[in-house]
């Protein structure tokens, strides 16, 4: 006796070889029917004996292909059908889409092997891919993920490729990005005038290796955007790249040719190795203590004890690593604050003053993405995302209950902009877009909004924006709401941060109160002041502010965030010795007067980090965002908890006495304590303040968000001093910084009143 | 003005009573200063000769402090209104002058202000033809407020209007920016910079008339970037014309000490008020000549071409920054709140 069942599988099931996998399973079990991609996910019609169908259902939902992620699945019995054999049916075009998008996947082991395999017809073909690897989101025009919906549609498969595409036994069965040197993507090497000096992959990479060794800077078109590369061993070349990019001291990432070579130069923990090898293949920050390699760390990450490292994640980079088997500086191909370049024309225009040579190809990139950046915290063991982009965007892997907020779009913050939306049963968060002050970033931001609207064929009914009236995302939301006649809801910056971390850990659906510790640089507060050191309490849909860093004066607009010495002056007063020495007499008088008449207050924890970093002599002026805090963290690497003793405690109101804290730090410095110890004890004090707050509030669950929690040492410290009964929640999927604000805005909208 | 009783050393409430003391104040300070046939009519108002359409503009001046480097509330009140008339393409001729004085203002200060007004009116070539003086109780005002209304006739060659702006039009500014706002701020806060920052307050009507005489309808729009500075003027232009405005940061004329003061205070000079410069949107072809003409005039010696009108980003102001890349310039909303982390 045979029956027919209808199976729907949702999640990351397109562009991952899911249909071929189902096909093979069905054939193996003798099941007849069909599999197709629909707007709802993968649809399977399967006919066979009931017990075999059960086995089939379990196999396809529980043990999917490596890069697939099944989020939801269902089956129902339907009227028996009598198909012959099992077939893959072309995608049925229909209404709305209820799918996850597919991120870019790193080159898989099999393809990496073929790339070097003598006799393989894809040997040396930089755009090799299969159902388990290759670019996806970067090429996506519309959905579902079919070749004709991507920029691969410009290339027609040759008979050999087509044969693979049609062969159920082949790794490239229904691989939408399938191509080979005969039918695929062409590449070349050109000078800044566009004259091609190499016309094929083989000679291009040979030339590249020579140019790199000679100290040239290369703009390299990868499959998700341009990278700027140079020999990491040549300090003067790295400095030249810095000058041309107008990036004085922000650290660069290094592309290592292989894990083996990396391990020769640096310690890599198992967790870090796993992250380096993951399908997202991000930049991973490693401790550079005891570096044994040849890369010029002083030029690459001046004054820091960390190094951002990545491994080749595309055929292009794998070829580069083969041709030039040495560490390479590899940084986003852009200028000072502008978005990453992705078209030939743009790169030639913008990077001609930066790069000496251009590696190009004729595959169009539709969704340019920077490399994602992560670091691993030792305890609790886990990942801290610093930039969520290639490999991670645009999905959120967990299911959300979207009913109350369907058709909402969140426009995020300003400095680390991202866009999030819930157009269907899934939630999508764009890649990191950058600082909206930059006009090109702003344009990419508005294009991202447009592309979500187009992709899902619907405009949002509600727009969510930050409360800051001068954030360009806020202003754009207001503009759009007028144009589309939809409502706008303002969501307080730090409440959005809190909602983001609550959502990541499913804490909205339980009844216990949660302490929110939201520490960052700045956000617009509900009282019009500049918030950034907040304690919240969440319970049953309500977020209430239950404490803060005591207000101190915010001085001189955006300048205060650029000059840590100003935070010090505000916190210690202009008369104090320490800030005094960092200003001219004229400046000091001026700021003293400003302080006197100032009305704008802040509770920013970021500024307290700045003040302490300045006080201890690590950083008076930031040359890149977060520099003062980074240098502070660098200074306290050897801090030991023995002998640690908090500088301050919570005051009677349950707030953090900001000024007293910095005064105590100054006193410790005066008494001759070493800077590294003071810096460590400062972080320890902050960790201890969180414990005190948790105790006062009688909560067990503590959730942390905001840029301050990019500090691995703080996480580590919290974990080490935490009493057993406390449960800690940190971001794992999103960055703790403002990149999570768009996601948090949606989550606040769905779950909070 | 025969039997002169000496004025008291400060203005009293009774000076606004309408009685004898009011008369005294007017005769001894105001009429004697602004002598002209229209005032001598001694009407409640003035009868002035005008033909055809009239350009009219009014403004109230409440600046604090009332004296500052480079000027005081008096010349500000004349120049501000004269310039507003000029920005409409008008040739200002007559001014009305209303004072609201807080009791207790030093008479000598008041005299100084009145004399400054006289000098400013003479320079602008306008006549003060009518006025009013009120005194309010101490605490109900802030030393002195002045309202002026300017009346004039349209320049015969002027054709100034928002809908004349075209993509490609060039944006000129007649002089260095941000001086007035920084002068006021440093005076008010008692801030000291290495060299004194002086307000740029001045009348611009003669320069505007010269330009209109020579270039007529090639001048498409004039605006004086007072409150809210260059950014607000450009944002208004962008929004009202539904075209984009491109600014070039490196082209903006800015005195080094003003730039340094802005830097120290964390202020963006684009948002700082001006009182003695104007922006002109002009035909692209005529722009170099217009710029040259401006530069040859004493009020436009440091004029510069600072940007142009673009069609690519309607409603937006975009500035090509000195460090590379470009950024969006938003209109000022309240105070300059920090946005960066
Ligand atoms: Fe934030
Ligand atoms: Mg005015
Ligand atoms: Zn592969
Ligand atoms: Zn082929």
């Amino acid at each position: 006796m045979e029956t027919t069942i209808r199976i729907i599988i949702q999640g990351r099931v397109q562009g991952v070889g899911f249909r071929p996998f189902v096909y093979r399973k069905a054939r193996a079990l003798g099941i007849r029917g069909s599999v197709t991609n629909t707007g709802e996910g993968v649809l399977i019609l399967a006919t066979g004996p009931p017990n075999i169908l059960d086995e089939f259902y379990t196999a396809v939902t529980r043990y999917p292909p490596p890069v697939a992620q099944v989020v939801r699945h269902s089956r129902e019995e339907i009227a028996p059908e009598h198909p012959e054999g099992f077939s893959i049916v072309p995608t049925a075009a229909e209404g709305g889409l209820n799918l996850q998008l597919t991120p870019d996947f790193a080159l898989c082991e099999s393809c990496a092997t073929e790339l070097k395999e003598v006799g393989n017809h894809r040997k040396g073909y930089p755009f090799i891919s299969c159902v388990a690897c290759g670019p996806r989101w970067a090429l996506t025009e519309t959905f579902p993920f079919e070749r004709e919906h991507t920029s691969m549609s410009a290339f027609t498969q040759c008979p050999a490729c087509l044969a693979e595409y049609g062969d159920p036994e082949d790794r490239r069965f229904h691989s939408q990005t399938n191509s080979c040197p005969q039918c695929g993507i062409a590449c070349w090497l050109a000078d800044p005038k566009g004259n091609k000096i190499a016309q094929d992959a083989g000679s291009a990479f040979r030339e590249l290796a020579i140019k790199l060794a000679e100290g040239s800077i290369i703009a390299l078109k990868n499959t998700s955007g341009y990278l700027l590369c140079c020999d990491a061993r040549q300090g003067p070349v790295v400095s030249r790249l810095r000058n041309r990019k107008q990036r004085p001291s922000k650290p660069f990432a290094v592309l290592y040719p292989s894990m083996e070579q990396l391990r020769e130069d640096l310690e890599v923990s198992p967790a870090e190795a796993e992250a380096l090898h993951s399908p997202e293949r991000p930049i991973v920050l490693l401790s550079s203590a005891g570096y044994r390699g040849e890369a010029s760390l002083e030029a690459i990450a001046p004054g820091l004890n960390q190094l951002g490292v990545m491994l080749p994640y595309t055929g292009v980079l794998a070829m580069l690593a083969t041709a030039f088997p040495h560490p390479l500086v590899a940084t986003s191909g852009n200028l000072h604050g502008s978005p990453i370049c992705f078209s030939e024309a743009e790169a030639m225009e913008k990077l001609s003053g930066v790069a000496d040579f251009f590696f190009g190809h004729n595959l169009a990139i539709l969704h340019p993405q920077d490399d994602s950046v992560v670091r691993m915290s030792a305890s609790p063991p886990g990942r801290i995302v610093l930039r969520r982009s290639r490999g991670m965007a645009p999905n959120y892997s967990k299911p959300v209950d979207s009913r109350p907020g369907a058709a909402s779009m969140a426009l995020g913050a300003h400095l680390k902009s991202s866009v999030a939306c819930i157009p269907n049963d899934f939630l999508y968060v764009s890649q990191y877009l950058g600082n909206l002050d930059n006009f090109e970033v702003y344009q990419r931001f508005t294009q991202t909004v447009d592309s979500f609207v187009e992709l899902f064929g619907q405009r949002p009914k509600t727009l969510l924006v930050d409360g800051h009236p001068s954030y360009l995302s806020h202003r754009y939301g207001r503009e759009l709401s007028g144009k589309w006649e939809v409502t706008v809801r303002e969501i307080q910056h730090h409440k959005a941060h809190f909602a983001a971390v609550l959502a990541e850990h499913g804490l909205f659906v339980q009844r216990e109160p949660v302490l929110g510790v939201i520490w960052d640089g700045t956000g617009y507060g509900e009282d019009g002041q500049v918030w950034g050191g907040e304690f919240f309490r969440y319970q049953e849909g309500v977020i209430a502010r239950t404490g803060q860093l005591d207000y101190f004066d915010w001085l001189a607009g955006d300048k205060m965030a650029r000059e840590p010495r100003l935070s010090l002056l505000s916190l210690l007063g202009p008369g104090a010795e320490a800030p005094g020495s960092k200003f001219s007499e004229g400046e000091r008088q001026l700021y003293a007067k400003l302080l006197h008449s100032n009305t704008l207050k802040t509770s920013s924890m970021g500024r307290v980090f700045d003040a302490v970093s300045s006080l201890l002599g690590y950083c008076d002026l930031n040359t890149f965002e977060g520099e003062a805090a980074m240098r502070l963290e660098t200074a306290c690497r050897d801090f030991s908890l023995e002998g640690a003793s908090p500088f301050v405690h919570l005051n009677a109101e349950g707030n953090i006495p900001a000024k007293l804290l910095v005064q105590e730090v100054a006193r410790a410095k005066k008494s001759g304590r070493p800077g590294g110890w003071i810096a460590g004890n400062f972080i320890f004090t902050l960790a201890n303040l969180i414990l005190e707050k948790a105790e006062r509030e009688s909560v067990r669950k503590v959730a942390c968000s905001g840029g301050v929690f990019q500090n691995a040492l703080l996480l580590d410290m919290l974990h080490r001093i935490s009493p057993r009964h406390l449960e800690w929640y940190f971001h794992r999927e999103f960055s703790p910084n403002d990149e999570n604000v768009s996601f948090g805005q949606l989550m606040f909208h769905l779950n909070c009143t | 003005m025969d039997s002169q009783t000496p004025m008291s050393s400060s203005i009293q409430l009774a000076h606004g009573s309408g009685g004898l003391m009011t008369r005294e104040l007017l005769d001894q300070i105001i009429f004697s200063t602004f002598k002209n046939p229209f005032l001598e009519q001694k009407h409640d108002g003035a009868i002035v000769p005008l033909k055809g359409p009239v350009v009219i503009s009014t403004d109230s001046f409440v600046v604090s402090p009332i004296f500052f480097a480079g000027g005081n509330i008096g010349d500000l009140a004349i120049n501000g209104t004269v310039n507003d008339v000029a920005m409409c393409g008008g040739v200002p001729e007559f001014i009305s002058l209303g004072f609201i004085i807080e009791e207790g203002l030093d008479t000598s200060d008041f005299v100084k202000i009145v004399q400054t007004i006289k000098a400013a009116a003479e320079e602008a070539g306008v006549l003060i033809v009518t006025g009013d003086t009120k005194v309010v109780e101490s605490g109900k005002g802030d030393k002195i407020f002045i309202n002026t209304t300017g009346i004039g006739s349209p320049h015969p060659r002027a054709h100034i209007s928002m809908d004349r702006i075209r993509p490609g039009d060039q944006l000129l500014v007649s002089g260095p920016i941000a001086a007035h706002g920084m002068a006021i701020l440093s005076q008010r806060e008692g801030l000291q910079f290495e060299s004194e920052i002086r307000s740029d307050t001045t009348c611009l009507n003669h320069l505007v008339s010269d330009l209109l005489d020579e270039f007529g309808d090639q001048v498409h729009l004039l605006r004086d970037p007072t409150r809210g500075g260059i950014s607000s003027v450009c944002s208004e232009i962008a929004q009202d014309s539904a075209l984009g405005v491109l600014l070039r940061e490196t082209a903006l004329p800015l005195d080094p000490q003003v730039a340094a003061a802005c830097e120290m205070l964390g202020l963006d000079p684009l948002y700082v008020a001006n009182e003695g410069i104007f922006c002109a949107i002009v035909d692209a072809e005529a722009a170099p000549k217009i710029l040259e003409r401006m530069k040859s005039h004493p009020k436009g010696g440091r004029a510069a071409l600072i940007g142009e009108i673009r069609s690519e980003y309607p409603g937006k102001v975009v500035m090509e920054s000195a460090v590379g890349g470009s950024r969006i310039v938003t209109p000022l909303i309240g105070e300059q709140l920090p946005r960066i982390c």
Side-chain angles (χ1 to χ4, degrees):
Chain A
M1 222 273 298
E2 280 193 340
T3 54
T4 300
I5 58 172
R6 184 176 186 274
I7 303 172
I8 293 269
I9 302 176
Q10 292 182 318
R12 188 206 278 172
V13 289
Q14 300 200 330
V16 294
F18 208 90
R19 288 175 304 170
F21 154 77
V22 169
Y23 175 94
R24 280 193 286 265
K25 254 316 152 229
R27 296 278 292 246
L29 292 170
I31 283 169
R32 288 166 295 124
S34 64
V35 57
T36 187
N37 274 336
T38 74
E40 285 287 309
V42 169
L43 167 68
I44 305 167
L45 297 174
T47 303
N51 60 328
I52 306 286
L53 285 177
D54 288 345
E55 189 186 339
F56 174 70
Y57 183 65
T58 308
V60 296
T61 54
R62 287 247 200 101
Y63 308 103
V67 286
Q69 270 175 9
V70 173
V71 175
R72 291 196 194 92
H73 49 83
S74 65
R75 61 181 274 184
E76 60 174 333
E77 201 173 318
I78 56 170
E81 292 178 0
H82 306 288
E84 288 192 14
F86 196 89
S87 57
I88 295 183
V89 179
T91 298
E94 47 180 303
L97 290 170
N98 211 358
L99 297 170
Q100 280 196 299
L101 297 166
T102 317
D104 295 348
F105 297 117
L107 186 71
C108 74
E109 290 297 331
S110 313
C111 287
T113 306
E114 285 189 14
L115 191 60
K116 294 181 177 179
E117 195 173 66
V118 181
N120 190 297
H121 81 297
R122 286 194 184 82
K123 176 173 188 287
Y125 177 58
F127 306 96
I128 187 169
S129 71
C130 71
V131 290
C133 78
R136 301 285 189 273
W137 174 234
L139 314 181
T140 298
E141 213 163 273
T142 62
F143 255 66
F145 193 81
E146 298 286 354
R147 191 177 182 105
E148 62 268 31
H149 296 158
T150 71
S151 54
M152 278 305 291
S153 62
F155 306 91
T156 308
Q157 292 184 78
C158 68
C161 285
L162 265 179
E164 293 169 329
Y165 187 86
D167 176 4
E169 302 308 318
D170 198 279
R171 275 198 310 121
R172 298 194 170 86
F173 181 45
H174 277 257
S175 168
Q176 307 301 341
T177 52
N178 196 28
S179 67
C180 77
Q182 278 67 53
C183 64
I185 300 147
C187 62
W188 57 84
L189 188 65
D191 68 15
K193 292 197 182 89
N195 303 315
K196 291 184 181 170
I197 56 175
Q199 306 263 19
D200 63 90
S203 57
F205 284 102
R206 255 193 320 277
E207 278 297 315
L208 258 179
I210 295 166
K211 303 295 183 202
L212 284 167
E214 286 171 357
S216 294
I217 294 168
I218 311 290
L220 181 108
K221 188 182 179 191
N222 205 354
T223 48
S224 45
Y226 271 83
L227 290 174
L228 285 163
C229 302
C230 71
D231 185 350
R233 303 168 303 174
Q234 301 183 42
V237 177
V238 178
S239 305
R240 195 185 321 142
L241 176 57
R242 279 199 183 288
N243 291 338
R244 292 187 188 171
K245 253 196 108 167
Q246 298 177 22
R247 177 161 146 158
S249 55
K250 191 176 177 190
F252 286 133
V254 174
L255 174 71
Y256 257 83
S258 66
M259 184 62 98
E260 294 65 44
Q261 263 166 288
L262 175 59
R263 283 191 195 277
E264 278 172 25
D265 292 357
L266 263 184
E267 300 307 320
V268 184
S269 75
E272 288 163 344
E274 198 185 315
L276 280 164
H277 265 315
S278 64
E280 293 98 341
R281 210 65 68 89
I283 294 169
V284 181
L285 295 192
L286 304 177
S287 163
S288 58
Y291 181 74
R292 300 174 290 268
E294 291 177 283
S296 170
L297 294 200
E298 217 13 75
I300 292 166
L304 296 174
N305 59 1
Q306 283 176 47
L307 184 64
V309 170
M310 63 179 161
L311 295 175
Y313 56 83
T314 59
V316 173
L317 296 183
M319 290 289 293
L320 183 63
T322 307
F324 188 80
H326 310 286
L328 279 170
V329 165
T331 177
S332 297
N334 59 5
L335 277 181
H336 182 77
S338 295
I340 184 168
C341 294
F342 65 101
S343 72
E344 321 303 313
E346 190 191 18
M348 295 304 261
E349 184 200 326
K350 303 242 162 75
L351 302 178
S352 61
V354 181
D356 303 308
F357 296 96
F358 289 76
F359 173 84
H361 60 71
N362 62 347
L363 173 65
I365 298 169
L366 304 177
H367 292 279
Q369 298 156 78
D370 295 277
D371 292 314
S372 295
V373 184
V374 307
R375 68 193 294 192
M376 308 309 289
S377 66
S379 63
R383 169 174 93 167
I384 305 174
V385 178
L386 302 178
R387 183 166 70 196
R388 178 183 167 280
S389 193
R390 178 190 47 76
M392 301 189 183
N395 284 338
Y396 175 60
S397 65
K398 294 186 185 137
V400 291
D401 180 1
S402 63
R403 276 164 297 143
S408 304
M409 185 183 279
L411 302 182
H414 180 89
L415 194 66
K416 292 181 184 302
S417 167
S418 66
V419 177
C421 65
I422 309 188
N424 49 41
D425 285 352
F426 292 96
L427 188 150
Y428 308 84
V429 186
S430 77
Q431 62 273 28
Y432 155 88
L433 297 166
N435 182 350
L436 294 180
D437 269 337
N438 182 293
F439 181 55
E440 294 159 54
V441 173
Y442 177 80
Q443 285 177 309
R444 217 160 271 189
F445 161 78
T446 61
Q447 284 158 8
T448 303
V449 170
D450 291 345
S451 96
F452 276 145
V453 168
E454 208 169 302
L455 206 51
F456 300 108
Q458 58 171 329
R459 281 177 181 171
K461 295 193 181 72
T462 308
L463 287 164
L464 308 172
V465 298
D466 193 275
H468 199 308
S470 308
Y471 274 10
L472 285 172
S473 54
H474 175 110
R475 298 179 58 82
Y476 189 61
R478 298 257 164 224
E479 230 175 84
L480 275 185
S481 85
K483 203 162 99 186
W484 292 348
E485 296 179 343
V486 298
T487 53
V488 188
R489 183 176 181 193
E490 283 181 15
I491 290 162
Q492 201 278 326
H493 185 92
H494 302 96
K495 290 185 173 175
H497 271 308
F498 189 22
V501 66
L502 287 168
E504 257 198 52
H505 297 283
L507 293 172
F508 283 119
V509 292
Q510 52 85 48
R511 311 194 64 153
E512 252 188 81
V514 185
L515 170 64
V517 182
I518 314 301
W519 290 350
D520 69 354
T522 66
Y524 187 78
E526 283 163 352
D527 55 1
Q529 305 292 13
V530 182
W531 290 11
E534 312 308 315
F535 288 125
F536 291 115
R537 183 187 179 92
Y538 170 80
Q539 196 165 22
E540 306 202 20
V542 178
I543 291 178
R545 193 188 195 200
T546 58
Q548 63 174 97
L549 192 76
D550 272 342
Y551 279 137
F552 55 101
D553 286 288
W554 185 282
L555 284 179
D558 282 352
K559 184 183 167 86
M560 182 144 156
R562 290 192 300 265
E563 299 194 3
R565 61 181 187 153
L566 276 173
S567 295
L568 181 62
L569 179 124
S570 171
L571 280 156
L572 282 189
E577 186 186 328
S581 59
K582 299 176 187 294
F583 294 90
S584 73
E585 186 51 33
E587 285 174 322
R588 217 184 34 214
Q589 282 179 17
L590 178 109
Y591 293 125
K593 289 207 173 107
L594 276 190
L595 272 180
H596 186 71
S597 59
N598 180 56
T599 54
L600 186 62
K601 304 288 174 188
T602 184
S603 55
S604 166
M605 184 58 86
R607 297 297 83 81
V608 174
F609 269 80
D610 284 356
V612 172
S613 190
S614 172
L615 179 64
L616 298 179
Y618 301 133
C619 185
D620 290 334
L621 307 172
N622 281 333
T623 62
F624 57 91
E625 194 225 332
E627 179 176 3
M630 213 184 270
R631 301 215 178 275
L632 185 77
E633 191 186 342
T634 297
C636 47
R637 263 301 152 99
D638 299 325
F639 180 75
S640 132
L641 276 175
E642 266 167 70
S645 135
F647 285 126
V648 292
H649 300 281
L650 287 182
N651 63 21
E653 294 82 51
N655 290 346
I656 299 174
K659 290 187 176 175
L660 187 64
L661 171 55
V662 180
Q663 280 162 16
E664 287 302 316
V665 171
R667 220 158 61 117
K669 186 179 177 235
K670 204 156 187 190
S671 74
R673 286 284 203 166
W677 182 87
I678 300 172
N681 203 56
F682 164 69
I683 309 255
F684 166 75
T685 303
L686 297 182
N688 197 62
L689 284 162
I690 296 176
L691 299 190
E692 288 180 21
K693 191 69 183 177
E695 183 153 326
R696 281 215 206 165
E697 294 271 313
S698 312
V699 295
R700 286 194 314 141
K701 293 177 158 47
V702 186
C704 304
S705 183
V708 166
F709 291 96
Q710 293 172 119
N711 188 313
L713 192 67
L714 176 59
L715 265 64
D716 203 49
M717 203 93 82
L718 279 170
H719 197 68
R720 275 153 64 192
I721 68 173
S722 169
R724 282 193 167 208
H725 68 273
L726 288 184
E727 294 165 21
W728 295 93
Y729 300 95
F730 301 104
H731 286 287
R732 294 300 180 209
E733 293 249 352
F734 292 96
S735 166
N737 69 34
D738 281 4
E739 279 178 50
N740 75 43
V741 168
S742 61
F743 172 66
Q745 288 166 342
L746 278 179
M747 288 300 125
F748 184 93
H749 181 59
L750 292 188
N751 297 291
C752 298
T753 46
Chain B
M1 279 179 278
D2 20 19
S3 64
Q4 293 257 337
T5 38
M7 283 283 299
S8 53
S9 69
S10 70
I11 307 291
Q12 312 292 309
L13 259 187
H15 281 120
S17 64
L20 204 62
M21 282 180 76
T22 307
R23 189 77 211 174
E24 233 171 62
L25 179 80
L26 293 179
D27 283 345
Q28 291 186 26
I29 301 178
I30 296 183
F31 290 135
S32 62
T33 309
F34 301 128
K35 265 184 283 194
N36 68 49
F38 298 102
L39 277 180
E40 263 137 47
Q41 294 168 350
K42 301 255 163 130
H43 280 303
D44 273 355
I47 299 168
V48 295
L50 283 169
K51 260 191 238 136
V54 168
V55 181
I56 180 162
S57 177
T58 193
D59 213 337
S60 298
F61 297 82
V62 298
V63 66
S64 166
I66 55 175
F67 293 97
F68 44 84
N72 67 46
I73 192 169
D75 45 1
L76 209 58
I78 298 302
N79 294 334
T81 292
V82 161
N83 293 346
D84 281 350
V85 172
M87 293 307 116
C88 312
V91 178
E93 294 170 55
F94 307 107
I95 295 272
S96 81
L97 178 65
F99 293 111
I100 294 170
I101 304 170
E102 185 188 21
E103 117 185 81
L105 176 72
D106 282 348
T107 307
S108 62
D109 282 352
F110 183 58
V111 170
K112 220 185 284 174
I113 289 166
V114 168
Q115 267 153 8
T116 313
I117 288 175
K118 176 182 152 84
E122 275 171 12
E123 193 186 336
V126 293
L127 288 176
I128 288 152
V129 292
T130 186
D132 176 50
T133 305
K134 293 280 178 336
V135 180
V136 297
E137 276 170 58
S138 162
K140 298 254 166 91
D142 188 4
K143 294 196 170 112
I144 184 169
F145 299 147
I146 303 178
N147 172 272
T148 51
T149 298
I151 295 175
S153 34
H155 188 287
R157 297 203 61 201
H159 187 183
I160 286 172
S161 134
M162 193 60 80
D163 57 25
R164 301 209 48 232
I165 301 182
R166 296 282 172 274
D169 279 4
Q170 300 292 296
L171 173 58
L172 309 175
V173 68
S174 67
I177 66 168
H180 176 74
M182 294 314 288
I184 296 294
L185 188 66
S186 42
Q187 191 103 6
R188 185 163 64 212
E189 306 286 341
L191 308 177
Q192 250 133 52
F193 298 107
E194 306 203 340
S195 58
E196 188 182 54
I197 296 174
R198 301 174 64 81
S199 167
D200 60 352
T201 180
T202 195
C203 63
L204 299 163
N205 53 327
H206 303 307
L207 171 53
V208 168
S209 278
D210 283 8
L211 292 182
L212 292 174
D213 287 346
E214 196 170 334
F215 300 100
D217 65 1
Q218 288 174 312
V219 177
H220 295 168
L221 194 79
L222 298 168
R223 279 286 161 92
D224 57 342
T226 52
R227 265 183 310 178
I230 297 279
S231 75
S232 292
V233 160
C234 292
S235 297
E236 275 168 36
I237 293 171
Q239 264 153 35
D240 295 347
S241 69
L243 289 167
V245 176
L246 171 77
L247 289 172
R248 295 191 187 85
E249 188 172 20
T250 50
L252 289 169
L254 184 61
D255 277 325
Q257 75 266 26
V258 174
C262 285
E263 210 292 314
M264 279 175 88
L265 297 175
L267 294 175
D268 185 339
L270 285 180
Y271 292 90
V272 177
N274 307 278
E275 287 292 345
I277 57 168
F278 65 94
C279 295
I281 299 205
V282 304
D283 180 78
E285 239 171 82
K289 281 191 193 139
I290 297 179
L291 179 62
E292 220 172 285
R293 185 71 193 80
M294 278 168 107
K295 283 182 153 176
S296 70
H297 192 279
K299 304 261 161 137
R302 295 179 58 200
L305 198 164
I306 59 168
E308 64 187 57
I309 302 298
R310 292 287 186 91
S311 56
E312 301 98 278
Y313 30 82
K316 294 269 176 314
V317 182
V318 173
M319 183 160 83
E320 279 176 10
S321 96
V323 292
S326 41
R327 69 177 173 93
I328 293 196
V329 177
T330 54
L332 183 62
I333 303 164
E335 52 190 323
Q336 290 189 41
L337 279 172
R339 290 182 304 183
I340 63 179
C341 281

